[in-house]
Amino acid sequence: MRLSDLAKGSSVFLGVFVAGYLSTTYVDQRLATPVKAGNTEPANSPAASACVDADGSWKNWPWPNVPTLSPKCR
């Protein structure tokens, strides 16, 4: 292996690492649930409002993944 090959590989590795870090911070900023001031629970917490209807459909759950043990709707 030559020094130029090592430099190319290192630059590719560094580029992928930096791109991955930037994409995760972007996703965290854009898709994270906002927190109300003075409250530690998220503003639109799905855990507090998500429920299963009598026919098995989900209410108040905006994401494609669903929790296994959600309460029944009243």
Side-chain angles (χ1 to χ4, degrees):
M1 179 189 306
R2 292 182 292 177
L3 187 58
S4 63
D5 295 336
L6 180 64
K8 287 179 189 177
S10 298
S11 65
V12 168
F13 177 77
L14 182 64
V16 169
F17 183 79
V18 169
Y21 177 76
L22 292 176
S23 68
T24 55
T25 56
Y26 175 82
V27 168
D28 285 345
Q29 289 175 356
R30 298 295 185 258
L31 300 180
T33 306
V35 176
K36 290 181 182 177
N39 190 359
T40 58
E41 191 173 334
N44 57 352
S45 173
S49 62
C51 62
V52 181
D53 207 6
D55 63 352
S57 62
W58 289 91
K59 303 291 181 189
N60 302 323
W61 190 255
W63 297 285
N65 61 338
V66 291
T68 305
L69 301 173
S70 287
K72 303 283 185 203
C73 293
R74 294 182 185 170

